[in-house]
Amino acid sequence: MKLNIKKKYIILWCVIIIAVIILPDIKMYYQQYKLRSEKLPERFLSYSTLDSLKDNDYEVLKIYGGFNEPVLQGNDSTIIIISGSRKESKDGGDDIVNKWYKINLNGQITDSLQYSYNSLNSTHSYQTFNDYIVDVDQNTYSNWIKDGDTIHYPYKNITENKIFSVSEAQKIIADKEYMYDDIIHSDTADNDYKYKLVVFKDNVWNYFYTEKNWTDYPAYKTNKKSIQYDVSTYNIDAQANVIKRDYVHKEKWNARSFWNLKNFSWGSGNGSGGDSWTGTSYFSVKMPKKTLYYKQPVSIDYPDGNLRDPFSYFIYQPKNGAYLLLIDTQNQVYYLIRPKK
C-alpha cells in the first residue's frame, strides 16, 4: 500500500515537473501545431521570386543601382537607369564602375554608357543633372543623356585662383542653379580649407571657391529629368490595381522557448518576447498582355497580423509603354518587367 502511495507521489511530481516545463511554452507548441495544419494552396506552389520569374511572354531584368541616383526621363519614350558598383582591388584601392542604360517603351536597352576606374589611379565623381552627366571631381560634363555624345567637355569658365567672399558667393548662386558643393582641404600644417561650389546656367557649367566660413547653403535644384514618385503608393498594398497581395502563408513561429538560455541573459527580463511568424506573400502583377505571379518573404506580427515586407516598391509605368519598373529604393535594386523579344 505504501509502495503504491509512493508511486503516486512520484507520478504526481513528474506531472508537475512536466507541466512546469511545458506550460510557459504552451503558446509556442500551439502555434507550431497550427502551422503544420496550414497547407499552402496548390495554385501557389508554382510561384517563383521576382528575380527568377519565368514566363513565355515576359522576363525580369534585375539591375543593381549602387549609387543614390534617380531614374531619369530622357524623353517621352526613353528612361535612363543609373547603376554602379564598388569593390576593393588587389592594390588596396577601389575598382569603381558607373553605368547608364537608356530604355525604350518596350523595356529594351537601346544604348548604354560605362565609365570604369580605380580610385588610386584617378578621382571621379559622376552625377546627373538635367541633360548632363557631370564629373564634379574633374570639372567636366557629357551630353550623352540628350544626344549620345560620350565625350567629356571641360567646364566653360573656371575661376581657378580666386576665393570669393561669402557675400560674393551668395550673389553668384542667386543667379544660377546650385548643384554641388565640396570641401577642399589644403596641404598646410593647420589643414586650412575652402569650399568648391558647382553651379549651372544656360547650358554653361561653372565652379568657384568660397571661404571656409561659408554656411549659407541654398536648396539644391531638383533634377528636371528625374522621375517623381507618389510616396503614398510605396506600400505594396496601396497599389492593388497593379500589384495585388493574393495570399499570405505562415511558415515559421519565431518566438524562442521560455527555457532558451538567451532569455536568462543579463537584462533580458526572462521573457521570450518578439512573437511573430515568418512566411511568404504571393502576389499578382497586372501587365498589358497578362497577369504575372511572384512571391517574396514577409513577417507577420502577433497577435494583430500586421505584415512587414522586407522591401516595397515605387512603380513606374510609362504612358503607352509595355513594361513595368519596380524600384526598390531601400536596397537600390530595379526590377524591369518587360516583354521578351
Side-chain angles (χ1 to χ4, degrees):
M1 184 69 177
K2 289 183 178 180
L3 185 60
N4 288 336
I5 293 173
K6 187 175 181 180
K7 284 182 178 179
K8 289 180 179 178
Y9 275 114
I10 293 173
I11 293 171
L12 178 61
W13 277 107
C14 288
V15 170
I16 292 173
I17 291 170
I18 292 171
V20 168
I21 294 172
I22 291 177
L23 283 176
D25 285 335
I26 193 67
K27 182 170 66 175
M28 180 183 73
Y29 295 126
Y30 172 70
Q31 293 296 339
Q32 291 173 346
Y33 170 77
K34 281 185 64 179
L35 289 177
R36 286 195 294 269
S37 64
E38 294 178 3
K39 301 297 183 182
L40 179 67
E42 187 173 351
R43 70 187 183 96
F44 298 113
L45 293 174
S46 61
Y47 283 37
S48 63
T49 56
L50 190 58
D51 53 1
S52 60
L53 186 146
K54 292 179 175 59
D55 186 79
N56 292 330
D57 300 310
Y58 287 93
E59 62 185 1
V60 177
L61 178 63
K62 186 177 182 180
I63 300 174
Y64 290 96
F67 300 115
N68 188 23
E69 289 278 355
V71 177
L72 307 178
Q73 188 75 60
N75 54 49
D76 290 342
S77 62
T78 303
I79 64 166
I80 297 163
I81 294 178
I82 299 117
S83 174
S85 64
R86 178 190 297 266
K87 65 178 181 179
E88 188 174 344
S89 59
K90 295 179 180 179
D91 56 10
D94 287 329
D95 290 323
I96 301 171
V97 179
N98 296 260
K99 294 181 181 179
W100 294 259
Y101 302 97
K102 289 183 179 178
I103 296 170
N104 65 16
L105 289 175
N106 284 320
Q108 300 300 322
I109 297 172
T110 59
D111 194 8
S112 63
L113 176 66
Q114 176 173 314
Y115 294 133
S116 304
Y117 62 96
N118 183 278
S119 60
L120 293 181
N121 300 329
S122 58
T123 58
H124 299 275
S125 180
Y126 296 105
Q127 300 188 33
T128 57
F129 193 80
N130 298 349
D131 284 317
Y132 305 95
I133 297 172
V134 184
D135 185 349
V136 294
D137 280 352
Q138 297 297 323
N139 304 316
T140 62
Y141 67 95
S142 164
N143 298 309
W144 180 83
I145 290 175
K146 61 180 178 179
D147 61 18
D149 185 0
T150 61
I151 296 174
H152 264 253
Y153 300 95
Y155 291 172
K156 300 267 186 199
N157 55 326
I158 300 173
T159 52
E160 183 67 40
N161 299 315
K162 181 177 179 179
I163 299 178
F164 289 87
S165 67
V166 170
S167 60
E168 290 173 322
Q170 289 170 333
K171 291 178 182 178
I172 294 172
I173 286 179
D175 187 47
K176 294 176 173 62
E177 293 184 83
Y178 171 53
M179 178 200 159
Y180 177 82
D181 66 82
D182 195 11
I183 297 177
I184 308 299
H185 293 278
S186 69
D187 295 327
T188 59
D190 59 356
N191 194 25
D192 199 11
Y193 64 91
K194 57 189 175 183
Y195 282 96
K196 173 185 174 183
L197 306 180
V198 178
V199 293
F200 175 76
K201 183 180 180 182
D202 298 332
N203 299 323
V204 177
W205 287 97
N206 309 258
Y207 78 82
F208 64 95
Y209 297 110
T210 187
E211 53 196 8
K212 64 181 180 181
N213 58 342
W214 164 263
T215 58
D216 186 23
Y217 296 111
Y220 286 97
K221 294 292 183 181
T222 301
N223 189 336
K224 296 174 182 176
K225 293 286 183 176
S226 63
I227 292 173
Q228 302 300 310
Y229 311 114
D230 183 353
V231 178
S232 67
T233 65
Y234 186 56
N235 184 301
I236 292 178
D237 296 307
Q239 311 168 86
N241 60 320
V242 181
I243 299 178
K244 184 180 178 183
R245 194 191 308 263
D246 296 319
Y247 189 75
V248 176
H249 185 230
K250 297 172 184 174
E251 295 164 356
K252 182 181 178 183
W253 175 251
N254 289 324
R256 294 195 301 259
S257 166
F258 176 83
W259 303 105
N260 189 303
L261 291 178
K262 291 181 180 180
N263 291 332
F264 294 92
S265 60
W266 181 260
S268 68
N270 288 352
S272 55
D275 294 354
S276 65
W277 299 271
T278 52
T280 303
S281 288
Y282 295 84
F283 294 93
S284 55
V285 184
K286 293 180 182 178
M287 299 298 293
K289 289 184 179 180
K290 64 197 301 187
T291 299
L292 304 177
Y293 305 94
Y294 76 94
K295 64 182 181 180
Q296 75 178 34
V298 68
S299 296
I300 306 106
D301 291 344
Y302 174 88
D304 52 27
N306 286 338
L307 302 177
R308 298 184 183 274
D309 296 292
F311 48 85
S312 196
Y313 314 101
F314 286 117
I315 293 179
Y316 175 74
Q317 292 178 294
K319 185 178 180 180
N320 301 320
Y323 71 86
L324 185 69
L325 183 65
L326 306 182
I327 304 153
D328 172 10
T329 57
Q330 181 177 349
N331 299 297
Q332 293 187 340
V333 177
Y334 303 97
Y335 296 93
L336 180 64
I337 307 176
R338 62 185 184 180
K340 289 183 176 178
K341 285 186 177 180

